Amino acid sequence: MTSYLGKSLQTVLLLTVFFAVPAASAEEAPPTELTPEQEMAIKLELSKYAVLGQQQILHLTEQATDEYTETLADSEPNMPSAWMLLEDGVTVKRINIDDQAKEAPAQIRILMYRAALKSVARHGKIHGSVILYTGKIREGSDDEALVIEFEHRLGISGNKVVPYQSENGQVTYGEPVTTEKPFQIFHDSKPEANTAN
C-alpha cells in the first residue's frame, strides 16, 4: 500500500507539473494537444486517487469516532482529540498533547492540534488527519453535536457535524451534515477574493 500510494502521489505530481507549468520560452515547441484517449486516461487515473483519498478518510474517521464515542458516554467534560493516518494509508494514531495543553480550554486545544498536524503533514509523514470535538448545535440549545474536521493530502477537506444523544452510557447519532472547509493542514487555502468595490 505504501509503495502504491507513493507511486500515486508521484504520478499526481507529475501530471500537475505537466499541466501547470507554462512553457519556459517562445523558442520551445508549443505543447501538443492531448488525444481524447489520453484525456480519458488522465481522468481515470485522477479518479482513482480521489476514491483512494475518500476511502482513507472514511477509515480514519470511523476509527477516530469509535474511540471518541467512549468519552461522550461518560460524565466528564469532552475535550477535543485528534488522529492522523500514517504514510502506509492504514495505521491510525492518536495525538496526545495533554502535557502541553494542561489547563488549556477546548478552543486552544483545537488550535494546538491543527498546528501539530500541520507540522507533521508538511514533513510528509501522514496522509490524513481528523480533529473531533463537541459543541451545541445552535446557540441557546441543549442539543449536542460531534464535529469532525477532516483533511487528506489528496485534496479533501471538510467538516462533518453529527447530532448525538447520550443516555444511560449509550451514544446515539443523528443524521450528519458535511460541508467543505478551507485547507488548514496539508495545503494552504487561497485567500478569499476581495469582493468590496
Side-chain angles (χ1 to χ4, degrees):
M1 181 64 122
T2 305
S3 62
Y4 172 75
L5 188 55
K7 279 186 173 180
S8 300
L9 290 173
Q10 286 176 349
T11 304
V12 168
L13 289 173
L14 288 174
L15 290 172
T16 302
V17 169
F18 178 74
F19 288 109
V21 176
S25 71
E27 295 174 10
E28 292 181 18
T32 58
E33 291 286 322
L34 292 176
T35 65
E37 292 81 16
Q38 290 171 323
E39 287 181 11
M40 184 58 73
I42 290 170
K43 287 178 183 177
L44 182 62
E45 188 71 17
L46 291 175
S47 70
K48 288 180 188 176
Y49 302 120
V51 170
L52 177 64
Q54 290 171 348
Q55 289 172 341
Q56 289 181 346
I57 281 294
L58 183 62
H59 167 68
L60 173 60
T61 302
E62 285 177 352
Q63 189 162 335
T65 303
D66 286 348
E67 288 184 39
Y68 196 75
T69 297
E70 296 173 15
T71 67
L72 301 178
D74 63 31
S75 59
E76 297 292 317
N78 302 311
M79 293 304 282
S81 294
W83 288 259
M84 54 191 172
L85 180 68
L86 301 186
E87 291 175 288
D88 64 4
V90 177
T91 306
V92 174
K93 185 174 180 183
R94 186 174 183 165
I95 297 177
N96 185 348
I97 62 166
D98 289 341
D99 290 341
Q100 295 90 350
K102 299 209 183 200
E103 301 298 317
Q107 285 301 101
I108 299 300
R109 285 177 179 249
I110 292 170
L111 295 175
M112 292 174 74
Y113 280 126
R114 287 180 188 148
L117 287 164
K118 184 172 185 171
S119 175
V120 176
R122 296 300 165 101
H123 287 92
K125 301 296 183 187
I126 60 174
H127 290 311
S129 68
V130 293
I131 302 173
L132 279 67
Y133 52 92
T134 58
K136 301 292 182 196
I137 290 181
R138 65 184 76 62
E139 200 171 319
S141 170
D142 288 336
D143 296 334
E144 298 263 11
L146 172 64
V147 179
I148 304 168
E149 290 185 10
F150 58 88
E151 275 193 46
H152 194 281
R153 181 175 299 284
L154 292 177
I156 301 167
S157 182
N159 285 325
K160 184 182 283 192
V161 178
V162 190
Y164 76 91
Q165 291 183 339
S166 177
E167 292 180 19
N168 302 323
Q170 291 292 102
V171 177
T172 55
Y173 290 106
E175 195 65 32
V177 175
T178 304
T179 58
E180 290 184 9
K181 74 171 185 65
F183 288 99
Q184 296 171 303
I185 309 299
F186 291 96
H187 308 284
D188 293 321
S189 289
K190 293 179 182 173
E192 294 286 326
N194 187 359
T195 56
N197 291 329

